[in-house]
Amino acid sequence: MKLKLAILLPLLFSFLTPAFASIQVMGTRVIFNAKEKEQSVRINNVGDAPALIQVWIDSRRESSVEDKENLPFIINPPIARVNKGKGKVLRIFPTDETASKYPQDRETMLWINILDIPPESENAADKNLMNIAVRTRLKFFYRPAGLKGELLTASENVAWTTQKTATGYKVTGSNNSPYYISFASLKIAGQEDTILQGDVIEPFSSKVFEFKNIKNSTAPVLKYTFITDLGAFVNKELKL
């Protein structure tokens, strides 16, 4: 039976035509300043059919669709239909418990989840279609009022130290600020195999980035790209 199932499943899916979701999120991150009454996220339906979306916030770096949490934010609307070619604004509000839930001396990083559920085709019964619900996750930074400094300055002032290893380097970034420092990428110049994608250094913390298999680099240069509040990429270089 197991052998038959293993043969039948690839045959079944080879005849299916996937129908992909079509919700486009405008932005890559959300900064919620505590002094503001609300924040918003705009989404657009760039597909050729209506879509149903479900939106929620969670605190886990990795989570499933079933992992729902009761966090002190209200999203309006939490469920919505978005017609083709149309957009919708998702509004996010704090509750009375928000300030007491999170530290007030630093940012907290959460996640916005937007689940795009494509509708079934009217002629689905006559076609081999596989509808796929696609979830988009955006970093959501809750920023208490009164934090010292600003993200751009903090990102430019990360303190770096280097340790030589048998095969490369361990580079430690120290963030002495209340902000999350977000990186799009880090690499050793001229050595494309060393690229590290997407990471953060938490507030008042350090993080080690390990670069392995460095080839013939007597004066290595660290090239990294950090991300601003507006989602802009800023490139920097550092001689190790």
Side-chain angles (χ1 to χ4, degrees), residues 38 48 51 60 105-106 113 121 133 141-142 150 161-162 164 180 200 218:
E38 67 176 85
D48 55 6
R60 302 179 180 93
D105 66 339
R106 66 194 66 193
N113 299 265
S121 170
F141 296 98
Y142 172 69
E150 57 180 11
T161 57
T162 307
K164 186 75 172 68
Y180 275 82
V200 299
T218 56

Side-chain angles (χ1 to χ4, degrees), residues 17-23 47-48 116 118-119 130-134:
T17 302
F20 295 105
S22 55
I23 289 296
D48 55 6
D116 178 4
M130 178 176 60
N131 284 340
I132 300 175
V134 176

Side-chain angles (χ1 to χ4, degrees), residues 38-56:
E38 67 176 85
Q39 186 55 267
S40 62
V41 179
R42 182 175 177 82
I43 59 174
N44 294 324
N45 184 350
V46 297
D48 55 6
L52 179 68
I53 62 162
Q54 182 180 12
V55 189
W56 70 95

